[in-house]
Every structure is written in C-alpha cells, then in structure tokens.
Amino acid sequence: MKKNIVVLSGAGMSAESGISTFRDKNGLWENHDIMEVASPEGWRKNPQLVLEFYNQRRRQLRQVDPNEGHLLLAKLESQYHIDIVTQNVDNLHERAGSTRVLHLHGELTKVRSVADEHTLYEQLDDLQWGDTDAHGNQLRPHIVWFGEEVPAIDEAILLLEQADLVLVIGTSLQVYPAAGLLDYADSSVPLVYIDLNPASLAGIPNPITVMAKTASEGIRDFMVLLPELLGN
C-alpha cells in the first residue's frame, strides 16, 4: 500500500513561477489594501474593483507555467499517495499533473453565484459586473475572503489525520485556520518544512526537518531523503 504524504503549500510554492506572494511587507497586495479586494466589505463597497483585481490575477496566471517544484510533486504520485492542501488559488499544481489538490482559499479559475456558494462555474477569462448565474444572480470570484468560512478545512483535517508524512512548502504557517492543520497529524509523523525564510515550529512535537531553500531546491533534496524518512 502506498504511503500517504500530505503537502501543505503556500505562496512560496508558486513564487518561482512568477506568481506574486499574497501580501507584501507593507501590507499591500499588488498595491491594493487587502481588505479592499479580499473581504465581503470590499465587495459590497466596490465590486467592480474586486472583479478587476481578480481579472488581473487571472490574466497573470495565463502567462506563467508550473515550476520544477510543481512537476516534482506530480511525479511523486507514481510512488506515493500524494494529497496537496494548498492555500494558493492558482491552478499550477493541477497543470503540473497533480490529481488530488484541495484548495483551502478557493480557485482563481472558478466563480460562484452570490446567492449560492455551491453554484460554481469555470472562469478562464475576465468576469464582469452583470455576469450572472442561470437565475440572474451576480457571479463573484470563488475565493475565500477574510471573514469568510473555509469550507474545505474539515476535509483537510481528515487528510492530516491519515498522513504518514507531512511536507510543508512556502508558507509562514501564520494564517488560520490553515496554520492549525499541523495539530491534526499524529505526533510521530515526520514533518519536512521547506521555505526560504522558515518560521519557528516551536511547540510542534513531530520529528522535523527544516530546509531553508526555494520550493524546487527543497523538493529535490526531499525526494532523496524520502525513503529514509518513511523507513523504506
């Protein structure tokens, strides 16, 4: 039986592909106050601004490709049961070939009805004010904004509970509820943390390997260590 590896990926996973990290040190996202473009309040105040912001992100996504790290994770599926739980809203994991990807914070290439969060549509081009579902309800980005529930968190918890190894890539582990997911892995499960500027993991009881590297560099080294980490 294949061992279960759960990957928790964040903005650093896609940085090498040219996707901007979620938030700059000055608190802005692409020169916008976060709450203007990533909150229900921002949507109510200026929906056209929010729509154009995500249209720009979608256009950017069409200009970039999966990086080596994405491709290596997809390659691992031939040997292990890989589940990717990502905070990223891009589709680079899927485009690289990964088949089990859970998006905690939504997906840039999908939109949903303002009247029903379960009414989803694929959206590769721009979304405009006046674009509606079959019942005439405005469509909005399928993004989990600040203050909104994370509907995929329960599924993510189940994956962590079944993990034989957890690989964390490119995230500061500061944004909840995603930051609390490590608590659900068994304390005996090895944890590998890849980040150029790794955060402190003090208080986590698991055996930990930290690699202060880019996603691609770290995953290359991780693949060499993997048999030993799993006791193969």
Side-chain angles (χ1 to χ4, degrees), residues 45-122:
K45 179 181 178 182
N46 192 342
Q48 287 90 345
L49 172 67
V50 175
L51 289 172
E52 179 54 26
F53 177 81
Y54 290 100
N55 286 340
Q56 291 176 9
R57 307 284 75 70
R58 215 174 286 114
R59 292 173 206 146
Q60 180 193 40
L61 183 56
R62 294 198 296 268
Q63 303 301 315
V64 302
D65 296 306
N67 59 56
E68 182 186 2
H70 292 109
L71 296 170
L72 290 174
L73 287 180
K75 186 177 179 181
L76 278 176
E77 285 193 12
S78 64
Q79 298 172 268
Y80 303 95
H81 188 284
I82 308 291
D83 283 290
I84 297 175
V85 179
T86 185
Q87 298 176 55
N88 299 335
V89 297
D90 62 63
N91 62 357
L92 296 178
H93 280 301
E94 290 92 338
R95 285 165 56 188
S98 291
T99 60
R100 290 181 295 277
V101 183
L102 181 64
H103 289 267
L104 288 178
H105 297 157
E107 298 178 63
L108 195 54
T109 56
K110 293 181 180 177
V111 296
R112 70 183 197 231
S113 169
V114 296
D116 179 10
E117 65 183 40
H118 302 294
T119 301
L120 302 178
Y121 302 89
E122 293 290 329

Side-chain angles (χ1 to χ4, degrees), residues 142-157:
H142 180 49
I143 303 293
V144 177
W145 290 328
F146 287 102
E148 294 184 324
E149 292 185 0
V150 179
I153 197 67
D154 288 340
E155 186 176 350
I157 288 171

Side-chain angles (χ1 to χ4, degrees), residues 20 29 45 47 65 68 80 87 101 107 129 131 147 158 177 186-187 197 224:
S20 301
W29 187 11
K45 179 181 178 182
D65 296 306
E68 182 186 2
Y80 303 95
Q87 298 176 55
V101 183
E107 298 178 63
W129 185 251
D131 291 344
L158 288 175
D186 189 275
S187 60
N197 299 290
V224 174

Side-chain angles (χ1 to χ4, degrees), residues 162-187:
Q162 299 165 12
D164 294 307
L165 183 146
V166 178
L167 172 61
V168 181
I169 310 172
T171 172
S172 63
L173 296 170
Q174 301 300 308
V175 177
Y176 282 84
L181 285 174
L182 292 179
D183 296 337
Y184 293 93
D186 189 275
S187 60

